[in-house]
Amino acid sequence: MMRVVMRPLLTTSPLVGGMQIFFLNQPDIDYDLVGVADVLDMPGLNDVLKKVIAQQVAATMVLPNKLPIVLSNEIAAHVVKLPEPEGVLRVHIFQAKNLVAKDMSLIRKGKSDPYVIVTLGAQQYKTHTINNELNPKWDYWCEFASFSPRGQVLKLKLFDEDEMVGKKHSNLGRASIQIGNVAKTGYFDKWINLEDTKHGMIHVRMLWLDLTLEQSALKRALTETQELRITNLSSAVVMVYVDSAINLPNARAQSKPDPLVRVTVGQTTQTTVGKLRTERPVYEQGFTFLVNNPETDTIEFKVIDQKTNTQLGLYVYELSSLLVTQNMRVETQPYDLIIDSKNQQHDSKLLFCMQLKFLKKLPVLVDVNDDTISVTKPLSRQTSVQSTKSVNSVITSADVSEIQSSAVGNNTPTDGMSRTSSIKRDSTVSRNSHTGGGDQEPLIEQAETTELLSEPEEPAPGTGPLGSIQITLTFSVARQRLNVTIHKVVNLPIKEPSDIPDPYVKLYVLPKKENSNTKRKTETYKDNCNPVYEETFEYIMGVAELNSKQLEVTVLTKKTWHSPVLGQIVLNISDYVNINTPSFTGWFDLETEIKEGTVG
């Protein structure tokens, strides 16, 4: 999605002083090579060309990068070109479970070497790799400056690392999260089902931080850093606008320099576009940096000749100086550059301006329109915290100032169920999504409220001879997603005392021919007639598809090589969830398997 922002507004023509053009997320790029360029349209070369084009587009027009255009001479360039994010998104890639095994072995059970690539716009981070593990725990933190959270998507891609040189890393699944709702509620803490894979889930936590000029916010952020003993936890954001340089020295005899500016805060460096053969380059570029501690950190400007890599000038600015300026801002003005190792100052100058703002946690609110929100206890510090050179942050317990709760309404599904002889249903419709199991350490502290939701009575399981299964169906109209949670199976029959089943549950959306990629399955529990799964699976499904789709749920055992069926149900999805009934939880009696082609 491309977005155009026009500001500031003027009272005279052209009515706006400038505009910013950018993509919220990395766009899909397609093109057709004709004429002489058709020689590049071959495997290998075409892939390289497409990658180069995508990188150039991302570096120019994918957030946090923007294409700024000044439309009026009355407006200073830095008003349009100085970037200012709406906030900062802290992301915690905690762990994953039940990943697909990609490394098969004749000696031992197959495993994978998983890692995650985390992407927001043009910003990207990569976790470390955990070898030989299908339930990895990365405990990895990263931060993103977000300029337009509404519409931006955080993308997670899991891969199995392969040590063989030149071999492509295998896909383990992907997930996408809209961050607009995180910016509204202030937090996110959920298990997410992986797409584009047979099975697997990932546990993600996020915290949204607003920008503020309040001095007290810095003290709170620094106190949290000391308490958590986490290095490189950002407490502020600095926006820098590099305007130009004047009177730069020559890097080579009888030749003007080709200068660029490298701006460094902490361990993060960003670079301006290089200019050719000029001692008075004009850059007019803006940058955003996350700052660990503005009381001690510095921002370093190095002017470099890009052909010889010779340093043409240096200036170091103490960020603590911004703390005492009005609104923690300095306007564009010239600063004397240090030219040589003797720290001698010449007539060379660099013109820039900057703005500092602190990070502030939002009061945590529950979005009553989000069927998957749950409020949980504080996050405790992990025994091992992975960090990167440039980013290492942590989500701390947030003070819950307001909890919006609504009573749970009574609903029952419509008639016309498919092939279920005896069904026990909950008397209430659950508004909370049942996320996957695992040792989840929730993020947010449970608030004390004057009105508490009464817990519904646990419905009794069925009495079918093949056992019963408890399932929750949840449909989100906004996200066009159907979530299916397999809670538990009870009373599986035992034919012989020595033949206790090893049950697992397999799901399909029918008809299978039209939905060949809908197979999902739970973990297997050995020697158990009453397994508890608490696993959630997600399907992309529109409102119009609900009436034509069925859900096949099959309980099998892995006792033998061909996994015999212990019981099965087939549900008309629209009988249980629709626009008016977004969620349903109930018990279903298992029946004998229906062969494919016999279901209406």
Side-chain angles (χ1 to χ4, degrees):
M1 179 188 298
M2 177 180 283
R3 185 164 294 175
V4 179
V5 177
M6 293 183 288
R7 65 174 187 180
L9 298 178
L10 303 177
T11 57
T12 59
S13 180
L15 300 182
V16 291
M19 59 193 306
Q20 298 172 337
I21 307 172
F22 54 88
F23 290 102
L24 295 175
N25 305 293
Q26 181 71 47
D28 295 326
I29 297 174
D30 194 15
Y31 54 85
D32 188 19
L33 298 173
V34 296
V36 178
D38 190 50
V39 70
L40 298 175
D41 194 9
M42 61 178 64
L45 286 177
N46 190 30
D47 292 340
V48 172
L49 180 61
K50 182 173 290 189
K51 183 177 180 180
V52 170
I53 293 175
Q55 289 175 344
Q56 292 302 313
V57 171
T60 306
M61 295 181 62
V62 179
L63 288 179
N65 303 306
K66 302 179 182 180
L67 181 62
I69 302 173
V70 179
L71 299 178
S72 174
N73 293 330
E74 298 178 6
I75 301 299
H78 75 269
V79 174
V80 178
K81 298 182 178 182
L82 179 65
E84 181 172 342
E86 291 190 26
V88 171
L89 183 71
R90 283 184 180 157
V91 180
H92 181 200
I93 306 301
F94 186 32
Q95 61 184 334
K97 67 177 182 179
N98 197 25
L99 298 180
V100 175
K102 292 291 185 178
D103 301 333
M104 306 308 295
S105 173
L106 297 176
I107 303 176
R108 56 180 175 81
K109 188 177 179 180
K111 295 286 186 179
S112 289
D113 305 322
Y115 66 89
V116 186
I117 293 179
V118 191
T119 305
L120 183 67
Q123 305 170 83
Q124 189 173 93
Y125 294 96
K126 176 181 176 294
T127 70
H128 62 288
T129 301
I130 298 181
N131 295 324
N132 299 321
E133 183 60 66
L134 299 181
N135 300 285
K137 183 178 178 182
W138 293 283
D139 203 10
Y140 177 87
W141 303 87
C142 54
E143 290 180 319
F144 298 91
S146 177
F147 292 80
S148 185
R150 185 171 60 87
Q152 271 202 295
V153 177
L154 183 76
K155 296 181 179 180
L156 311 175
K157 292 185 178 181
L158 282 73
F159 294 94
D160 169 48
E161 186 173 87
D162 201 300
E163 295 181 354
M164 293 183 61
V165 178
K167 186 174 180 180
K168 187 176 181 180
H169 294 182
S170 302
N171 173 55
L172 292 177
R174 58 181 174 84
S176 300
I177 307 170
Q178 296 281 348
I179 70 169
N181 199 50
V182 183
K184 288 192 300 182
T185 60
Y187 76 101
F188 179 99
D189 183 9
K190 296 177 186 177
W191 280 93
I192 304 172
N193 292 283
L194 297 175
E195 301 175 7
D196 195 24
T197 187
K198 291 183 178 179
H199 50 78
M201 301 180 74
I202 186 168
H203 187 187
V204 182
R205 298 166 173 169
M206 291 185 283
L207 183 69
W208 179 263
L209 300 167
D210 269 344
L211 304 186
T212 181
L213 295 174
E214 299 175 9
Q215 295 284 341
S216 58
L218 175 61
K219 183 177 180 181
R220 287 194 298 267
L222 295 177
T223 300
E224 290 172 2
T225 305
Q226 296 171 357
E227 291 177 350
L228 294 168
R229 303 189 303 277
I230 305 296
T231 60
N232 296 332
L233 178 62
S234 298
S235 61
V237 172
V238 63
M239 291 78 74
V240 183
Y241 173 74
V242 180
D243 182 83
S244 58
I246 56 177
N247 300 329
L248 294 178
N250 293 335
R252 293 154 292 167
Q254 300 179 346
S255 178
K256 292 184 178 181
D258 300 324
L260 57 81
V261 182
R262 291 176 183 165
V263 188
T264 302
V265 176
Q267 296 178 337
T268 303
T269 299
Q270 300 187 58
T271 306
T272 67
V273 175
K275 302 297 180 177
L276 298 177
R277 296 185 180 87
T278 178
E279 57 187 19
R280 303 177 69 90
V282 177
Y283 300 104
E284 294 185 340
Q285 281 186 252
F287 305 97
T288 301
F289 293 90
L290 299 176
V291 181
N292 182 356
N293 185 353
E295 294 179 340
T296 58
D297 285 354
T298 61
I299 180 166
E300 181 183 81
F301 300 86
K302 281 186 179 180
V303 185
I304 304 293
D305 179 73
Q306 54 187 324
K307 286 190 176 179
T308 63
N309 204 32
T310 303
Q311 180 174 302
L312 303 177
L314 171 68
Y315 188 83
V316 178
Y317 189 95
E318 299 286 343
L319 287 177
S320 57
S321 302
L322 280 173
L323 300 178
V324 296
T325 62
Q326 185 177 5
N327 294 326
M328 296 191 294
R329 181 186 183 97
V330 292
E331 299 299 335
T332 304
Q333 54 186 291
Y335 295 86
D336 294 327
L337 292 173
I338 297 173
I339 301 302
D340 51 36
S341 59
K342 297 180 181 179
N343 292 339
Q344 294 181 359
Q345 295 182 350
H346 298 263
D347 292 334
S348 300
K349 299 180 184 296
L350 182 69
L351 284 75
F352 61 84
C353 67
M354 64 178 69
Q355 167 82 66
L356 180 69
K357 289 192 175 183
F358 303 131
L359 302 184
K360 178 182 178 181
K361 290 188 295 186
L362 287 174
V364 177
L365 300 177
V366 172
D367 184 359
V368 296
N369 295 320
D370 188 347
D371 297 336
T372 61
I373 290 293
S374 61
V375 181
T376 49
K377 67 183 182 181
L379 170 67
S380 60
R381 184 179 186 273
Q382 303 301 322
T383 56
S384 174
V385 177
Q386 302 295 335
S387 63
T388 64
K389 290 185 178 180
S390 60
V391 177
N392 181 18
S393 58
V394 65
I395 298 175
T396 60
S397 60
D399 297 331
V400 181
S401 64
E402 181 179 352
I403 298 296
Q404 300 177 2
S405 59
S406 58
V408 182
N410 291 334
N411 281 291
T412 56
T414 58
D415 294 333
M417 290 175 292
S418 168
R419 187 182 173 280
T420 49
S421 59
S422 175
I423 301 177
K424 297 288 185 178
R425 301 175 182 170
D426 286 351
S427 59
T428 60
V429 177
S430 171
R431 291 193 60 83
N432 287 335
S433 171
H434 297 265
T435 56
D439 297 330
Q440 182 177 180
E441 295 188 31
L443 171 66
I444 306 300
E445 185 175 1
Q446 175 67 53
E448 295 182 1
T449 58
T450 55
E451 296 183 8
L452 298 179
L453 291 177
S454 59
E455 292 290 337
E457 294 183 3
E458 179 71 18
T463 58
L466 299 181
S468 301
I469 185 170
Q470 188 185 33
I471 300 174
T472 290
L473 302 177
T474 304
F475 180 70
S476 172
V477 178
R479 298 180 61 244
Q480 299 287 283
R481 294 291 193 274
L482 174 70
N483 284 339
V484 181
T485 300
I486 305 299
H487 295 292
K488 62 183 74 173
V489 177
V490 298
N491 302 329
L492 292 176
I494 302 177
K495 295 181 180 179
E496 298 180 7
S498 60
D499 189 22
I500 302 175
D502 298 342
Y504 69 95
V505 181
K506 183 171 65 176
L507 306 176
Y508 272 108
V509 173
L510 302 180
K512 293 181 182 178
K513 291 182 179 180
E514 298 178 6
N515 299 273
S516 58
N517 295 323
T518 65
K519 179 182 176 181
R520 308 284 191 272
K521 65 179 182 179
T522 66
E523 297 181 8
T524 301
Y525 285 87
K526 188 174 179 61
D527 297 331
N528 198 329
C529 293
N530 299 281
V532 178
Y533 299 100
E534 295 296 343
E535 294 189 39
T536 302
F537 304 94
E538 186 175 76
Y539 293 99
I540 300 175
M541 188 173 297
V543 177
E545 296 179 276
L546 291 178
N547 293 325
S548 61
K549 304 300 181 184
Q550 295 178 309
L551 181 67
E552 179 186 275
V553 184
T554 308
V555 181
L556 308 94
T557 177
K558 277 193 173 180
K559 276 296 185 184
T560 60
W561 64 271
H562 64 283
S563 296
V565 174
L566 300 178
Q568 185 182 80
I569 58 173
V570 178
L571 309 177
N572 290 323
I573 297 173
S574 61
D575 289 345
Y576 302 95
V577 289
N578 48 57
I579 296 178
N580 299 321
T581 308
S583 184
F584 170 80
T585 300
W587 282 97
F588 300 87
D589 287 342
L590 297 173
E591 298 187 359
T592 56
E593 178 185 13
I594 286 188
K595 301 299 182 182
E596 187 174 356
T598 62
V599 179

